[in-house]
Amino acid sequence: MLTKSNVGRFTLVPVLFVMTLFLMLSVMSVSVIIAGSGVYQKISDNMEKNYDRRVTFSYLTTKIRQNDSGGNIYVEEKNGVKMLAIKETDGEDEYVTYIYYYDPTPEDKGNDDGDIREIFLGLDKDGKTIDFDLSDGEEIIKSQGFEFELLSDRIKIDLTDENGDLQSTQIVLRSQG
């Protein structure tokens, strides 16, 4: 029962209880926000990596299918590197796009500073290209590896992303097989 003697008084216990409850609620809220941001960052990073791989495979598939006729897709070795060659004809002029794996420090095994590159070059009357340096190509995607195999009716492509995750695809060639 409230009387005049205890109405105006307050004690330290209720104040400490409310402050402790507020502090606990604040700490839990901050920890949930921090945990959520970590999960969001991981999901965002995975989505970006998957997007990059899908776009790369889509780009390669489109590039191959656009020029898939009469032996325009072949494998060639240049500067000691196996390259996927895609020949194109524009009127009387012929061009070739080389797609290859470039590692600036091949002696450092297990590094992650390589990438898949392409270079677009004109062919002379003998079907030869100018000499070029591997670093001249345009970077398509960061990678730890890129391997391909030209089979009788398809191309098998293995791409190892910069985190070491391997993804493969096969592109059916309509002009062969």
Side-chain angles (χ1 to χ4, degrees):
M1 180 163 171
L2 295 175
T3 62
K4 280 189 167 186
S5 63
N6 64 3
V7 168
R9 298 172 57 198
F10 73 94
T11 61
L12 194 57
V13 173
V15 172
L16 285 176
F17 177 73
V18 169
M19 295 282 281
T20 304
L21 194 58
F22 178 74
L23 181 64
M24 286 175 48
L25 183 62
S26 298
V27 167
M28 288 190 327
S29 297
V30 168
S31 64
V32 166
I33 290 170
I34 290 172
S37 70
V39 169
Y40 175 79
Q41 186 64 43
K42 284 182 182 178
I43 290 171
S44 176
D45 290 345
N46 283 337
M47 285 176 55
E48 184 176 335
K49 285 186 287 188
N50 287 333
Y51 175 78
D52 288 345
R53 284 191 303 239
R54 278 193 317 270
V55 167
T56 300
F57 280 129
S58 178
Y59 174 76
L60 293 173
T61 301
T62 302
K63 189 88 169 160
I64 290 168
R65 288 201 175 136
Q66 282 177 342
N67 299 289
D68 182 13
S69 65
N72 285 347
I73 312 296
Y74 55 96
V75 175
E76 196 171 319
E77 188 166 318
K78 291 262 191 197
N79 300 335
V81 174
K82 182 178 165 185
M83 299 183 180
L84 182 63
I86 303 169
K87 189 171 158 186
E88 303 174 39
T89 304
D90 182 20
E92 291 186 19
D93 297 326
E94 291 185 329
Y95 303 93
V96 66
T97 299
Y98 291 116
I99 300 174
Y100 58 94
Y101 178 70
Y102 173 68
D103 187 355
T105 56
E107 65 281 347
D108 184 14
K109 297 291 183 203
N111 65 357
D112 59 353
D113 57 352
D115 49 51
I116 299 170
R117 293 187 177 218
E118 76 172 345
I119 190 164
F120 182 75
L121 301 169
L123 294 173
D124 63 14
K125 303 240 185 273
D126 297 326
K128 306 280 186 204
T129 62
I130 61 169
D131 287 335
F132 64 94
D133 190 71
L134 294 174
S135 63
D136 293 341
E138 291 291 321
E139 179 184 319
I140 297 174
I141 187 174
K142 290 280 187 200
S143 173
Q144 285 186 10
F146 174 64
E147 296 179 10
F148 52 89
E149 184 178 0
L150 184 58
L151 304 169
S152 64
D153 63 341
R154 66 189 181 280
I155 298 174
K156 182 177 183 271
I157 299 175
D158 294 329
L159 185 148
T160 305
D161 68 13
E162 59 187 330
N163 296 322
D165 297 328
L166 175 69
Q167 189 166 354
S168 298
T169 191
Q170 293 189 26
I171 303 167
V172 175
L173 297 174
R174 296 180 184 124
S175 66
Q176 300 176 5

